[in-house]
Amino acid sequence: MAALRPRRRALVSPLCRAFSGPGCQLAPERAGERRDTAPSRVSGFCPPRKSCHDWIGPPDKHSNLRPVHFYVPENESPLEQKLRKLRQETQEWNQQFWANQNLTFCREKEEFIRSRLKAKGLELRTGSGQKATLDAEEMADFYKEFLSKNFQKHLCYNRDWYKRNFAITFFMGKVALERVWHKLRPKQRKTST
């Protein structure tokens, strides 16, 4: 039983940091992943000014994810603000991860194709000027190698993604309870008077 406590503490402490103070971040991007970063600015999509809802924009050209523009109500409570900021931070983290991952994938795929064509003694362009390609079996080698090489990175991403989603779900529950509490409180005053 005592052997489980340090392990449980290691799993719980990052989530506790997320639930505490306003300056806390949950699972920041690792420094090793920042070498060849794609542009972090998502599309220039902008919802109408008088919108009272979250808006989902067109897919980002680097990450292929749709950015969300979050609605900020005038009477936003501190808890609602914390939830919105956590959702925004998670979206930006997710956008950056997939933009970098897609950039790496495309770059390594081109290098793989170039090296295989060179090994066969072929040019990058065919005689008609079209880009030379490899067959599906050869590309399967690349996909397998790429996934194997990035297995640990994807494992960390999935772990962090679940932590972030758990934290967001937790705060959504707290916000829902806060809203119910505020709706019930005035009714209680009226009935007691």
Side-chain angles (χ1 to χ4, degrees):
M1 183 74 167
L4 292 176
R5 286 185 184 164
R7 188 177 295 168
R8 188 181 312 156
R9 230 179 274 140
L11 293 172
V12 173
S13 65
L15 290 175
C16 292
R17 282 195 310 268
F19 298 156
S20 62
C24 294
Q25 290 185 339
L26 183 60
E29 186 177 22
R30 286 158 183 75
E33 296 173 0
R34 300 190 69 127
R35 278 181 279 132
D36 297 324
T37 58
S40 64
R41 194 74 214 138
V42 292
S43 71
F45 168 74
C46 189
R49 276 192 176 174
K50 294 184 179 185
S51 172
C52 298
H53 304 285
D54 294 345
W55 279 68
I56 299 173
D60 178 64
K61 66 180 181 178
H62 300 289
S63 69
N64 293 325
L65 299 176
R66 292 179 173 270
V68 179
H69 291 270
F70 296 97
Y71 170 65
V72 182
E74 290 179 18
N75 57 348
E76 184 178 47
S77 72
L79 192 58
E80 289 172 324
Q81 182 181 23
K82 192 171 183 177
L83 171 63
R84 180 178 49 80
K85 286 184 177 181
L86 181 60
R87 290 177 67 203
Q88 286 173 329
E89 177 190 319
T90 299
Q91 176 190 308
E92 290 167 9
W93 169 82
N94 200 26
Q95 287 277 358
Q96 191 63 45
F97 175 84
W98 285 110
N100 292 338
Q101 189 66 10
N102 291 344
L103 181 73
T104 302
F105 176 82
C106 290
R107 187 182 64 243
E108 290 183 17
K109 181 179 170 186
E110 289 299 319
E111 289 172 8
F112 177 83
I113 292 171
R114 189 176 299 118
S115 68
R116 285 286 173 107
L117 289 174
K118 190 175 181 180
K120 291 180 176 182
L122 300 173
E123 296 292 324
L124 292 174
R125 300 262 176 208
T126 61
S128 61
Q130 293 180 338
K131 200 172 186 180
T133 59
L134 300 175
D135 64 6
E137 287 182 23
E138 289 177 301
M139 289 309 296
D141 292 339
F142 166 73
Y143 299 133
K144 181 181 177 188
E145 180 184 321
F146 184 81
L147 289 173
S148 297
K149 189 167 64 173
N150 289 285
F151 177 77
Q152 193 63 37
K153 188 178 186 181
H154 288 161
L155 194 66
C156 291
Y157 167 81
N158 285 335
R159 185 195 66 222
D160 292 349
W161 178 246
Y162 282 113
K163 284 181 186 178
R164 287 173 179 272
N165 278 314
F166 177 76
I168 288 169
T169 304
F170 177 79
F171 277 111
M172 288 175 85
K174 285 178 76 171
V175 166
L177 287 173
E178 181 183 62
R179 287 177 181 163
V180 167
W181 177 253
H182 286 300
K183 284 183 180 179
L184 293 177
R185 239 168 90 202
K187 290 179 182 177
Q188 289 174 350
R189 286 183 191 157
K190 288 177 185 176
T191 56
S192 63
T193 335

